[in-house]
Amino acid sequence: MVLLESRLLSRSVTNWVLTAGVLSLVVGPIWRVLGSDIGSERVTPFLVLESGQSATARYWLETADLLVLLLPLIAFLYGYEAFPKERERGTLFILGSAPLTRRDVLIAKVAARVAWLAAAIGLGVLLSGIGLILLVGGFDPVGHLLAGLITIIFAGGLLTVGSSLSVYCSTRWACLTGIVFGYLGLEFAGALLLSRVSSLVVIHPFQAYVTLIAAPFDTMYPSLTASLSDGSVTEYSFGPFFTPSLALPVLVGWICGPVVLGHRRFRREVIGA
């Protein structure tokens, strides 16, 4: 079932466009690292990179800055057609009559899409690693591969949210609308949590991701910065809340939780009525 779903995805123009988008997000930051001053501190809303940084650390700071902004939307779009498309074409009845459990169908659809997204990120990590070696120097292979693996886990969690949301939607347009509002909600949820219960930011996938990204690099650490109306910048620090030992289960929960919710909905669906 996973192989069949993968073949169907390989025929989708939309899927190839999204794959190209992922590659550009992962490979593109190489050019921002070229000629950068490694002797100065670099601050983004989610990460801080101290002076004396390696080229690999600078690359992942730039990459993570882009990924937390754009990867959620791309990952959601990878998964939003999973079930509404089957309903619109009437092929969901065929899946329901096949000798497969509904859990098998759901997992196959999610797994095929995660495999596509993981392959795109993996290829981007490989190409960016070659670029760092040839163009920049100071390559850290262990940190680079660990950061790539963390990014794949992060993307997998986001994609399962999109796929599971599609189970609850009857049409692709309804699901696409939900994806857009879900993406905006995810992007602004961090600021809302900061203003209400700041310690709960630890459950946000963005903060879990950057906490894990920072771990392989001695000069990088997670941070939350907010620009105030007077032009000043405030930095939030949560100390023991942001640790890799807690961040990894948070990302795994973002993978498993949506699959469980999607399965609960899909197993109650009436197929062929």
Side-chain angles (χ1 to χ4, degrees):
M1 181 66 188
V2 176
L3 292 177
L4 174 61
E5 193 68 26
S6 297
R7 292 193 188 100
L8 293 175
L9 289 173
S10 68
R11 301 173 185 173
S12 169
V13 175
T14 301
N15 189 65
W16 283 107
V17 170
L18 293 174
T19 299
V22 172
L23 279 173
S24 65
L25 284 179
V26 179
V27 178
I30 282 288
W31 305 109
R32 300 181 66 178
V33 178
L34 293 176
S36 61
D37 181 10
I38 63 173
S40 60
E41 184 182 66
R42 176 80 164 88
V43 180
T44 71
F46 291 95
L47 287 167
V48 172
L49 191 61
E50 295 177 345
S51 59
Q53 63 213 226
S54 67
T56 309
R58 178 60 183 264
Y59 162 79
W60 277 106
L61 176 127
E62 301 289 354
T63 302
D65 195 32
L66 284 175
L67 291 179
V68 296
L69 178 63
L70 297 175
L71 186 58
L73 182 59
I74 293 177
F76 288 171
L77 291 174
Y78 258 102
Y80 90 99
E81 286 187 327
F83 289 92
K85 188 175 181 180
E86 302 282 4
R87 293 190 183 97
E88 290 179 350
R89 292 183 174 181
T91 54
L92 195 60
F93 175 75
I94 298 175
L95 290 177
S97 62
L100 298 168
T101 66
R102 299 198 180 190
R103 181 178 60 185
D104 293 336
V105 173
L106 176 65
I107 292 177
K109 283 186 168 292
V110 173
R113 285 163 172 77
V114 169
W116 264 92
L117 186 53
I121 294 173
L123 179 59
V125 169
L126 175 62
L127 294 176
S128 61
I130 295 173
L132 284 171
I133 294 172
L134 297 178
L135 302 176
V136 182
F139 181 61
D140 176 7
V142 175
H144 189 69
L145 293 176
L146 281 176
L149 177 61
I150 292 164
T151 301
I152 290 173
I153 297 173
F154 173 57
L158 296 172
L159 192 150
T160 55
V161 174
S163 297
S164 299
L165 177 60
S166 75
V167 178
Y168 288 83
C169 299
S170 57
T171 66
R172 281 180 288 179
W173 283 112
C175 193
L176 186 58
T177 301
I179 288 298
V180 171
F181 282 100
Y183 166 72
L184 293 175
L186 192 64
E187 290 290 338
F188 290 104
L192 179 62
L193 288 174
L194 279 177
S195 65
R196 299 299 177 89
V197 187
S198 59
S199 60
L200 289 182
V201 175
V202 70
I203 67 174
H204 198 288
F206 292 179
Q207 202 59 38
Y209 172 59
V210 297
T211 299
L212 290 170
I213 279 288
F217 307 106
D218 294 335
T219 58
M220 193 187 299
Y221 58 90
S223 176
L224 282 174
T225 59
S227 297
L228 304 180
S229 57
D230 59 2
S232 61
V233 175
T234 298
E235 182 176 322
Y236 297 87
S237 178
F238 301 100
F241 287 113
F242 292 152
T243 61
S245 60
L246 181 58
L248 183 58
V250 168
L251 286 188
V252 172
W254 277 88
I255 294 175
C256 298
V259 172
V260 171
L261 292 175
H263 178 251
R264 287 172 60 89
R265 169 65 180 85
F266 188 49
R267 71 181 182 183
R268 294 194 300 267
E269 181 165 338
V270 178
I271 298 177

